[in-house]
Amino acid sequence: MQLTGAEIVIRCLQEEGVEYVFGYPGGAVLNIYDEFFKQDKVKHVLVRHEQGAVHAADGYSRSSMKTGVCLVTSGPGVTNAVTGIATAYMDSIPMVVLTGQVPTHAIGQDAFQECDTVGITRPCVKHNFLVKDVKDLAVTIKKAFYLASTGRPGPVLVDIPKDITQASTEFSYPKTVSLRSYNPVTKGHAGQIKKAVQLLLEAKRPMIYAGGGVILNNAAPQLTRLVRLVGCPCTTTLMGLGGFPATDPQFTGMPGMHGTYETNMAMQNCDVLIAVGARFDDRVIGNPQHFYRADRKIVHIDIDPSSISKRVKVDVPIVGYVADVLDEMLKLIESSPQRPDPAALKTWWAEITEWQRKDCLKYDTKSDLIKPQYVIQKLYEITSGDAFVTSDVGQHQMWAAQYYKFDEPRRWINSGGLGTMGFGLPAAMGVQMVNPGAPVACVTGEASIQMCIQELSTCKQYHLPIKIVNLNNRYLGMVRQWQEFFYGNRYAESYIDALPDFVKLAEAYGHVGMKIEKPGDVDGALREAFKLKDRLVFMDFITDQTENVFPMIPGGKGLTEMILAEEL
Amino acid sequence: MRHILSILVENEAGALSRISGLFSARGYNIESLTVAPTEDVTMSRMTIVTIGSDDVIEQITKQLNKLVDVVKVVDLTEGNHIERELMLVKVRAAGKDREEMKRLADVFRGRILDVTDKSYTIELTGTGSKLDAFLQAIEPGVILETVRTGASGIGRGERILRI
C-alpha cells in the first residue's frame, strides 16, 4: 500500500504501540499533524513550549519503562527542545524525538525556520538521523526506537524534511532491525561475575552502591534480593532512589555531595564496593584522588563500557545489563553455602550505626518559619510514601531526595545529570498521563517553576491534577548557599525580587492556589490539596530563607570532608 | 604516548563529524586524521593519530566504539604495524642550492613531481618522523609550501581489520 511520509510516521507510531506524543506543531510538521487529526489511536499532547514536550516525554518514560516520544517543528522548535534532549541524554532516558525539517531542496539555503538539527543535537543524542528518502523513513523510525531502548538507553532523533512527509512509498514496518555497527554487550562475563561474587562473599566491610542503571534496567527486585542475602549496607544515588527500599534498615541513604554522613563514611571505608549501574559521578564521590584507597576492591557492573574506569579505576569490571548480571550473581550466591563473615559484618554494622548517630539529617523543628525539610516529610506522610515525585533543580531537589523515602523504583523523577531547572512540572505531566489517578507531586522552588510555568496551561487542557509543592524561599537557594559558604555572603543575583502572586497565577490558569506561611498549616494544606483529586493545586510554601542543605561536600573535596549542620 | 587508531565507520553523512565532535567535546587530542572509503563502499577507514595516557586512550577507544556509526576500532600501536604519510613540499631551488635540493630529495627517496626555474615540488612518503626529518634537513627559508596527508596505518602480517 502506498502511503505518504506523514501517514508512515503515524503508522510507525501505532506499530510501536505509542500512546502519547508530546509536541507542538509548526510549518515543517503540518503534514504529520494533519495525519494526527485523522486518527485517534496515538494521542497528541499539545504543550506550551517545546522544552516542555521533551520533559513530558521524559517523565512519561521514567515513570513507565516505555520510550517517550515527542514531535517538534524545525528551527526554533528544535532549538527549544535541545535542553530537554540533553536532559534525557545525561540520564540515559529512552526517547524518540521526531523533528520537522525544511524540504530537502531548501536544506542549506538558510530557509525560514531552518537549522542544522542533526548538527546541533549530535552531542546530546545517542544517535540521530536525517531522512533523505521516503523509502528510508519507516526503517529509520524502527531503528530509532530500537537504539533508544536497547543497550544504554538514550534519546534518538529523526529529522524529517517536509517534502519527505508529502512523498509516497510502499509501507511496510520491519518487525526487527539490526545494525552491524551496534551490538551492545548485554550478558556479563561469567568469569568476572564469579570473581565479583567471591570478592563480595569474602568481604569484611562490603557495600553496594546502586545508580540509575538499576531503575532503567528494572533491576530493583534483584538488587533488593542481593542486598538482603548478603546483609551489607546499600546506598542508591540520586538517580537510583527507589532501586532499593529507603525504609529498609540496610539502606543508609544517598551518597555524595548531599548524601548522608553514614553513607559517605561507609563508601570511603568499605573493603569491597559493588557499583551497580552507577558511574562514580563527581557529585557522588567528590575528588577521585581522595576517593582512591589501595585496600578497597571495586566491582563495577554497567551496560556502558565507557562508564567503567572513566573516573575511578576498578578491579572487576562487568559489562552487561545489570538485571542479568545481578541474576547471575544471585544464582551463584544462592547455590553457595558461603556468606560474608557474620562477626566481621557485625563489626561493620556497628561502625555504621555509630556514624548514623550523627543524625546528619536533623534540622530545627521548633522554628516559627516553615522548614522545607518538614514540608517534604509531611508530603511523604500524607501520600503514604506512594506518590510519584518529580522535582526541579536546587535545594528543594536535595531535600526531596533526602526526606521522601522512596520504596519503589520509578517514583522519583528528577534531572540528575544535566540538572535542568524547569524539568519538574512538564515531567509531572508525562507522569500523570501514564499514571492517571495516581498522586503526582512536583516539588519545586519559586525560581525553577518559573522556567516552565507555561505548562500550567497544558495541565488545565488535559485535566492533570498535579500537586505542586513550591518551596518558596525567595532565593535561588542552592546558589545562595554556595555564596554563603564560599563567597563571603555576597548574594550576587540570587535574590528574586518581584515574584508573582502564585495563588493568583494558579487561579489565572484555572487551577487552585494556596499560600502557606505557618508551620502549623503545612499538614492541613497538603491534606486538602491531595483531597482535590481532579484539580491541580499550587501550594506556595513560604519557607525559611536561610535554610541550607546538609551534609555538604564542598566542590573538589573528598567524601569524608563533609560540612554538617551542627558544625556551623 | 602516541597512538594510531584505525577505525571502520559506516560511510554515512555525518560520521566524520560524530568522530571529530567526540574528540573536541571530550578534550582529546587529534594529531592527524585521514579518511577514505574502503573496498566495501559502504564503509570508510579512518586513521587517527592521537596522544594520551593509557587511561585516556582506553576512554577514547570505548567512546569511539559507543558511536553507532563506528563498526570497529583498533589501536595499531598495540602491535606491529606499518605507518605511512605522504607529503608534498614546494621548495625554493635556484642557483647553487638547486643541485643540493635534488640530492637531499634523493637521500630521502623523494620524487620531484614538478619543476620551475626557481622551485621543486617534491613528493615524500614515510613515517611522520621521516617527513619531519626532511623538513629539518632543509633550511626553513626555502620551504614555500607543505601539505601532508596525516598518517595511514595497517597491521603487519596476518593482522587484519575488517568485519
Side-chain angles (χ1 to χ4, degrees), chain A residues 205 207 252 254-256 259-271 290-291 293 296 348 351-352 354-356 358 553 558-562 564:
Chain A
R205 300 190 307 278
M207 177 150 199
T252 59
M254 191 168 75
T260 61
Y261 182 77
E262 49 272 29
T263 294
N264 287 342
M265 293 303 283
M267 287 267 284
Q268 190 69 22
N269 291 295
C270 61
D271 66 346
H290 185 284
F291 182 70
R293 279 186 71 146
R296 176 186 50 208
W348 177 223
E351 217 174 324
I352 293 166
E354 200 52 45
W355 291 323
Q356 282 169 332
K358 283 260 188 196
I553 303 172
L559 268 185
T560 56
E561 299 171 283
M562 285 168 272
L564 299 176

Side-chain angles (χ1 to χ4, degrees), chain A residues 122 128 180-181 304 306 308, chain B residues 10 17 59 62 66 68:
Chain A
R122 188 175 295 127
N128 57 18
R180 66 177 168 186
S181 57
D304 179 1
S306 74
I308 294 176
Chain B
E10 294 290 349
S17 65
Q59 262 301 309
K62 285 173 169 177
K66 205 163 120 178
V68 171

